Amino acid sequence: MQYGTSDVADAGLKASAESSMSTNIGASENSGLGSRSNSNAVAESNDAFEHSHRVVSIVGPTASGKTGLGIALAQVLEKAGERAEIINADAYQMYRYMDIGTAKASAQEQQAVPHHLLDIIDPSETMSVAWFQQLARDCMSALYSQQIRPILVGGSGLYARAAVDAISFPPTDPQVRARLEQHAQEVGAGVLFQELERKDPQAAQHMDARNMRRVVRALEVIEITGEPFSAHLPQYRYVVPCVQIGLDIPRALLDQLVDKRTRAMREAGLVDEVRRVRDRLGQTASRTLGYSEIISYLDGQISQDEAFDLIAQHTKRLARKQMGWFGRDSRIHWLNATSETLVEDALDIVRRADAGEFDAADAQAQAVVHHLGQIE
């Protein structure tokens, strides 16, 4: 079996954690109370390190420079004598073989700073937020056990929050979901949304009536659990000591960067990548932005120019949705992505967070309306 950079790093973390666990258990069996005291001391030491070295979560719209900031921040911390490594929080970068279209960190970038949770599943599989939550928290725990600060980087908003926030994931029932989906086809999206409004007005208030997938999921949870779907909605409450840094950028400039990235993907061989990986793509991966458009081109439905025009158009639309999503979180510290002092400003926020300066405000966090993209 061949491993990518992140596979080797993750395997090392797992082996180190397992070795440490085995050693502690053995010591406990042979040394009695003394070893338990030592284990408690180790646990207390890890907790102290965790609280004085918060998880850094770098968020923001696609193409805003999150990966670059994550790497630069890790390197600055290393120069200060602190180890830091990156955990990917982008849903689609977890798929193997999908590199160009997901703007995955290059081999050189991964060599500069170790990355985790890249290339961990095949495109035929489906990554879920609940699965990612467990993976990310296990990874953070393993890093902390080695006195390494985790830096989360990614534009998948719910994934980034699932790693550090109080978010639970209700069970699913394929039969219930299939029946609700069939019901939606029979009565229409409007009628189904009205059902949700009657059963859970709070959830309906925060949901797009046109998003049938979410409406069906909400009704599924209500039927399975007997509880309102709104009772399971994410809370703005950290369960992992964390500081979030957001990248804001003028919309006009972001559009230019998206166009530039799209051209770079074309020149880097995105068409050939999609052609190679197409037979491996499952239902979720095949809908990935950039891949679905190229598949339409390969099927002769549109021209190659039209495919890349659509990729740029859809990416800009995604960026605006991301701005809306992240803009609601009052705990995020927004920085100008174009600032010459971006890394220094980010480091200052991290130091202040480590000192507990933002704890009181974070404890009172709530949804806000932060208009991103208007920065100058």
Side-chain angles (χ1 to χ4, degrees):
M1 178 180 293
Q2 294 182 338
Y3 292 92
T5 304
S6 61
D7 293 317
V8 173
D10 291 336
L13 280 175
K14 182 177 180 182
S16 175
E18 289 177 346
S19 175
S20 175
M21 184 181 298
S22 175
T23 301
N24 289 337
I25 291 173
S28 177
E29 290 174 346
N30 293 326
S31 305
L33 293 175
S35 66
R36 284 196 292 273
S37 176
N38 291 338
S39 296
N40 290 337
V42 170
E44 290 173 2
S45 175
N46 287 340
D47 287 344
F49 180 83
E50 184 175 337
H51 282 276
S52 63
H53 296 74
R54 310 292 173 99
V55 172
V56 180
S57 181
I58 299 177
V59 301
T62 186
S64 60
K66 297 183 294 296
T67 297
L69 176 59
I71 292 172
L73 182 59
Q75 292 174 326
V76 168
L77 288 169
E78 184 178 11
K79 289 180 180 178
E82 300 179 25
R83 296 172 65 192
E85 297 183 2
I86 291 174
I87 299 175
N88 166 53
D90 185 291
Y92 297 105
Q93 291 186 8
M94 299 177 204
Y95 288 112
R96 300 185 185 98
Y97 318 117
M98 299 170 65
D99 302 329
I100 299 172
T102 62
K104 196 175 294 179
S106 67
Q108 292 79 7
E109 289 171 324
Q110 294 184 48
Q111 187 173 10
V113 175
H115 284 60
H116 306 279
L117 303 190
L118 291 175
D119 302 322
I120 58 172
I121 62 172
D122 285 329
S124 59
E125 300 178 84
T126 298
M127 174 57 66
S128 69
V129 183
W131 187 11
F132 169 76
Q133 182 184 68
Q134 186 62 54
L135 291 171
R137 291 183 180 180
D138 287 348
C139 190
M140 287 187 290
S141 178
L143 287 173
Y144 272 133
S145 73
Q146 299 179 70
Q147 308 284 284
I148 299 173
R149 184 198 298 266
I151 300 178
L152 281 166
V153 176
S156 299
L158 187 55
Y159 280 68
R161 286 195 57 193
V164 298
D165 268 350
I167 299 179
S168 62
F169 298 96
T172 62
D173 187 321
Q175 293 183 342
V176 172
R177 178 172 297 189
R179 175 165 47 77
L180 288 168
E181 289 173 342
Q182 178 64 33
H183 182 52
Q185 293 179 0
E186 293 172 353
V187 303
V191 173
L192 203 68
F193 185 72
Q194 290 173 6
E195 291 183 19
L196 179 61
E197 287 181 312
R198 289 195 301 271
K199 294 180 177 180
D200 191 348
Q202 184 179 351
Q205 185 179 358
H206 298 283
M207 196 171 298
D208 184 349
R210 297 166 297 181
N211 191 336
M212 258 314 89
R213 184 178 60 83
R214 289 207 66 202
V215 173
V216 166
R217 174 57 177 156
L219 291 171
E220 177 192 11
V221 170
I222 293 171
E223 181 169 337
I224 293 173
T225 66
E227 300 174 341
F229 180 70
S230 53
H232 301 275
L233 292 176
Q235 302 177 42
Y236 290 105
R237 179 170 62 83
Y238 292 136
V239 295
V240 175
C242 179
V243 59
Q244 295 184 83
I245 297 174
L247 292 181
D248 197 359
I249 188 169
R251 289 193 176 188
L253 176 57
L254 182 60
D255 285 347
Q256 294 175 20
L257 292 173
V258 168
D259 289 335
K260 181 179 179 181
R261 173 184 280 187
T262 304
R263 289 194 298 271
M265 288 179 175
R266 186 173 190 171
E267 294 168 1
L270 178 58
V271 172
D272 289 337
E273 178 175 274
V274 176
R275 187 180 283 116
R276 288 194 302 270
V277 77
R278 180 177 182 178
D279 290 342
R280 298 175 180 265
L281 300 179
Q283 185 176 8
T284 300
S286 64
R287 295 197 300 264
T288 305
L289 198 159
Y291 292 79
S292 60
E293 293 86 351
I294 297 302
I295 288 173
S296 294
Y297 157 64
L298 294 175
D299 287 344
Q301 299 173 8
I302 55 177
S303 69
Q304 187 173 133
D305 287 344
E306 289 173 326
F308 280 97
D309 286 345
L310 284 174
I311 291 173
Q313 177 184 329
H314 294 163
T315 304
K316 293 171 186 175
R317 186 183 304 163
L318 170 63
R320 280 155 177 70
K321 287 183 178 180
Q322 290 170 320
M323 286 178 164
W325 170 270
F326 290 119
R328 293 194 292 268
D329 193 338
S330 64
R331 300 167 300 174
I332 298 177
H333 302 269
W334 292 101
L335 297 177
N336 187 338
T338 65
S339 172
E340 294 182 356
T341 60
L342 175 62
V343 179
E344 292 83 355
D345 295 341
L347 181 61
D348 177 64
I349 289 172
V350 171
R351 295 303 189 206
R352 291 162 64 191
D354 287 347
E357 183 175 332
F358 309 123
D359 289 354
D362 288 347
Q364 303 298 320
Q366 57 184 345
V368 297
V369 178
H370 187 96
H371 298 287
L372 300 176
Q374 299 179 6
I375 194 168
E376 296 181 356

